[in-house]
Amino acid sequence: MDRDLLVLGVETSCDETSVAVLRGTSQLLGHVVVSQDAHRVWGGVVPELAARAHLRMLDQAVKAALAEAGVRLDGIDVVGVTAGPGLIGALLVGVAWAKAAAWALGKPLVGVHHMEAHLFAASLDDARAEPPFVALLVSGGHTLLLWVPAWGDYRLLGATRDDAAGEAYDKAAKILGLPYPGGPAIQRAAAEADPTRHPLPRPLVSRSHTPVDPEFYAMSFSGLKTAFRTRVHELQRAGSLEAEVPHLAAAFQHATTDVLATKTLRAVEQTGCRRVVLGGGVASSAALRAEIVRRLGAGGELFAPSPRLSTDNGAMIARTALFRYTRGETAGLELNARADLPFPNLHRGD
Ligand code: KG4
Ligand code: ZN
């Protein structure tokens, strides 16, 4: 029966207004992602602008997703919405809209955790992206390494101690004078450049780590960013920055990828599970995908969502809402948004 449920997924946690209509676990009937370009001139997301843009765009995005799906709003069975974590003003727009819709339709409402949703994204492209797997969630706000024996059972292996991986990309791009968002800009600039010309550190990566060390899975990107900034300033003073921008971008991408792939492969070795799922905006990094595939070798499988499902989107929210709904986890009209919503069913260790 669940296979036929029609779920509306609403995502407004950051700077994408996105709505999806999903039938069952995998049929994406309608999907609209509106990226807010207004933030580009500021070099990062401006929270109030984001909230106002969601308020302006959400109703149109819902209508467009329903039209694409050929479904009327009253044909929807479940309304799912990102309840956190994220920018509070932005989240509130989606949550208030979803509550009103669920109430008016008399249909169940499900509050979704944004990072759990990133975990489900790959399964929308490839039905084999099911637990058990090792997961690396790398977005603009979070960097989490998880062991996932089953949906709804999440073991935290490691996380960043400072900046998230995507945040580090965004800051590095800004230092180089490249546009926001930084990840795609760095990837473009780095194409065909030499990643070894400017050596950069690999924080918290040491061959001597053993699984009992707290550093075994932990990650850190702020020291890398500082070393990067120092190198950029040196080249600037020497007047040779412009010609080095592609090589600097490649060096930064190489270092970040090395850290992420090293920690992920440690989890693969420790769990004995050679199946890896990527999620979050940084999962669209071609360098990261290629490096993990290379290190997994024959017998390993990497599931990475297509770029559209890697970055923020309503489809993953709808998929996660369906999962929570089938577990009987619906929300009442008192549902609130939380900027720091804790990851559901997350336990320490493996
Ligand atoms: O998941 P997401 O869309 O939003 C958050 O929930 O934060 O992730 C956005 C992040 C940005 O920091 C962006 O620079 C990064 O994903 N990103 C990339 C790439 N594409 C997007 N980072 C590295 N390489 C990419 N190709
Ligand atoms: Zn995200």
Side-chain angles (χ1 to χ4, degrees):
M1 178 204 99
D2 294 342
R3 182 168 289 279
D4 297 320
L5 284 178
L6 274 179
V7 186
L8 188 76
V10 175
E11 157 63 34
T12 66
S13 70
C14 191
D15 59 344
E16 261 91 26
T17 311
S18 182
V19 180
V21 179
L22 182 71
R23 185 193 292 280
T25 55
S26 61
Q27 269 182 280
L28 194 52
L29 304 182
H31 194 200
V32 171
V33 182
V34 186
S35 295
Q36 303 174 358
D37 286 335
H39 306 287
R40 277 179 176 264
V41 291
W42 305 104
V45 179
V46 183
E48 186 182 330
L49 289 184
R52 288 178 182 277
H54 288 307
L55 198 56
R56 214 168 39 239
M57 295 308 303
L58 184 52
D59 201 46
Q60 280 168 264
V62 170
K63 288 198 174 94
L66 289 169
E68 191 188 338
V71 170
R72 283 164 41 133
L73 185 57
D74 60 9
I76 292 294
D77 299 309
V78 177
V79 179
V81 64
T82 308
L87 301 171
I88 194 62
L91 287 165
L92 283 168
V93 175
V95 168
W97 188 94
K99 284 165 76 162
W103 180 78
L105 296 168
K107 294 291 162 63
L109 173 69
V110 180
V112 169
H113 189 280
H114 182 85
M115 295 312 292
E116 182 183 30
H118 273 303
L119 210 52
F120 273 95
S123 74
L124 290 168
D125 283 320
D126 188 335
R128 293 172 307 149
E130 289 279 318
F133 53 70
V134 167
L136 178 68
L137 293 181
V138 270
S139 71
H142 298 84
T143 303
L144 299 168
L145 185 61
L146 306 175
W147 164 234
V148 182
W151 291 126
D153 183 358
Y154 308 125
R155 320 284 173 92
L156 179 65
L157 302 176
T160 182
R161 290 188 175 170
D162 38 60
D163 293 350
E167 186 182 359
Y169 267 101
D170 294 336
K171 287 179 177 170
K174 207 168 184 175
I175 293 167
L176 287 179
L178 296 174
Y180 173 87
I186 290 209
Q187 179 165 299
R188 276 193 304 274
E192 291 162 44
D194 178 1
T196 60
R197 202 148 130 158
H198 300 286
L200 291 171
R202 309 291 196 256
L204 301 184
V205 172
S206 154
R207 279 177 196 282
S208 64
H209 287 157
T210 67
V212 293
D213 294 326
E215 287 79 22
F216 189 68
Y217 291 126
M219 288 163 273
S220 163
F221 296 100
S222 86
L224 171 60
K225 178 195 64 198
T226 305
F228 184 72
R229 180 184 283 125
T230 306
R231 184 75 191 121
V232 169
H233 287 170
E234 274 167 19
L235 292 163
Q236 207 160 26
R237 275 196 298 276
S240 52
L241 178 59
E242 210 174 318
E244 294 303 315
V245 165
H247 304 301
L248 287 160
F252 184 83
Q253 182 171 264
H254 193 54
T256 309
T257 298
D258 190 12
V259 172
L260 294 172
T262 299
K263 302 287 170 163
T264 304
L265 267 290
R266 283 181 179 178
V268 166
E269 298 310 330
Q270 290 304 307
T271 58
C273 178
R274 306 195 73 76
R275 295 159 48 80
V276 175
V277 165
L278 292 183
V282 185
S284 49
S285 163
L288 180 63
R289 291 170 183 226
E291 189 57 20
I292 293 178
V293 166
R294 190 182 72 75
R295 295 194 199 189
L296 274 172
E301 284 179 299
L302 176 71
F303 301 100
S306 54
R308 194 162 195 233
L309 294 175
S310 291
T311 49
D312 292 348
N313 66 84
M316 66 183 191
I317 304 304
R319 175 66 188 87
T320 312
L322 176 66
F323 168 68
R324 291 286 161 192
Y325 176 75
T326 54
R327 301 220 325 182
E329 297 174 30
T330 56
L333 288 182
E334 70 286 353
L335 176 68
N336 210 337
R338 271 187 69 177
D340 62 347
L341 189 69
F343 202 117
N345 315 110
L346 183 67
H347 311 283
R348 298 216 151 252
D350 55 356

